Amino acid sequence: MATNYATVTWDQLHRDARQLAEILIPRGPFKGIVAVTRGGLIPAAIIAREIDCRLIETISVVTYDEEAQGHPEVLKAPAAAGDGEGFLIIDDLVDSGVTAQIVRQHLPKALFACLYAKPSGKPLTDLFVVEVPQETWVLFPWDTAPLFIPPLARKGGPAA
Ligand SMILES: O=P(O)(O)OC[C@H]1O[C@H](OP(=O)(O)OP(=O)(O)O)[C@H](O)[C@@H]1O
Ligand SMILES: Nc1nc2[nH]cnc2c(=O)[nH]1
Ligand SMILES: [Mg+2]
């Protein structure tokens, strides 16, 4: 279980994805993008628009059930990307690096980029935008909703 949480808003995610696109442009052009579903889908869509790439393939890897890490399972291979030559892989984040390692085994010649990287997974990426501490759990905008919280003055109980 994580000890800290970092909430990423839609605006922040959009800014980070655009920043990644900017550093990717000199590394291209790319034949296509392989999005690591599901987390890589929205970052991949934003980046595809910015780098003007219309061919999007997916690889589906399931590793986590909420915060619990399980055994990674590839539900769909990225058939259209061959060995990955000329392709760009996009995921939302690397944590342990297990998912990235499996994706790289399928696409050894592709470039791997993600928005957020924790120290254990960082060496598995070619490019990322923001480093996040290992013990922090990133909350993405598609996993969260704004909630009512009571005013601070009422926190101590009815007398406050
Ligand atoms: O570096 P790791 O420890 O392998 O963790 C990173 C992976 O975990 C999350 O995917 P998840 O398995 O939760 O599936 P999802 O993308 O469908 O939400 C995230 O989107 C990365 O793909
Ligand atoms: N949402 C989310 N999924 C993850 N999968 C592995 N690490 C994380 C994380 O920090 N946040
Ligand atoms: Mg994922």
Side-chain angles (χ1 to χ4, degrees), residues 1 17 27 29-30 32 51 54 58-59 66 68 74 76 117 124 137 139 142 145 151 154 156-157:
M1 199 73 175
R27 305 290 291 262
F30 298 99
I51 68 172
R54 290 179 186 260
T58 57
I59 176 169
E66 296 193 5
V74 178
K76 181 200 164 290
L124 272 303
W137 188 261
L139 291 169
W142 48 85
R154 288 198 210 146

Side-chain angles (χ1 to χ4, degrees), residues 36-41 59-64 91-93 99 140:
V36 184
T37 71
R38 296 163 300 178
L41 284 169
I59 176 169
S60 174
V61 188
V62 187
T63 309
Y64 288 80
D91 205 352
D92 51 358
L93 76 110
T99 305
F140 287 105

Side-chain angles (χ1 to χ4, degrees), residues 68-126:
Q69 186 174 18
H71 188 72
E73 209 185 324
V74 178
L75 299 184
K76 181 200 164 290
D83 62 4
E85 192 171 6
F87 276 78
L88 167 67
I89 302 162
I90 297 289
D91 205 352
D92 51 358
L93 76 110
V94 289
D95 185 328
S96 66
V98 167
T99 305
Q101 202 166 9
I102 288 171
V103 171
R104 278 189 177 283
Q105 281 163 10
H106 278 78
L107 301 161
K109 296 196 173 163
L111 193 79
F112 188 105
C114 59
L115 301 180
Y116 310 111
K118 299 189 192 179
S120 301
K122 214 169 80 166
L124 272 303
T125 72
D126 292 308

Side-chain angles (χ1 to χ4, degrees), residues 120-133:
S120 301
K122 214 169 80 166
L124 272 303
T125 72
D126 292 308
L127 293 162
F128 66 91
V129 181
V130 180
E131 183 162 348
V132 177

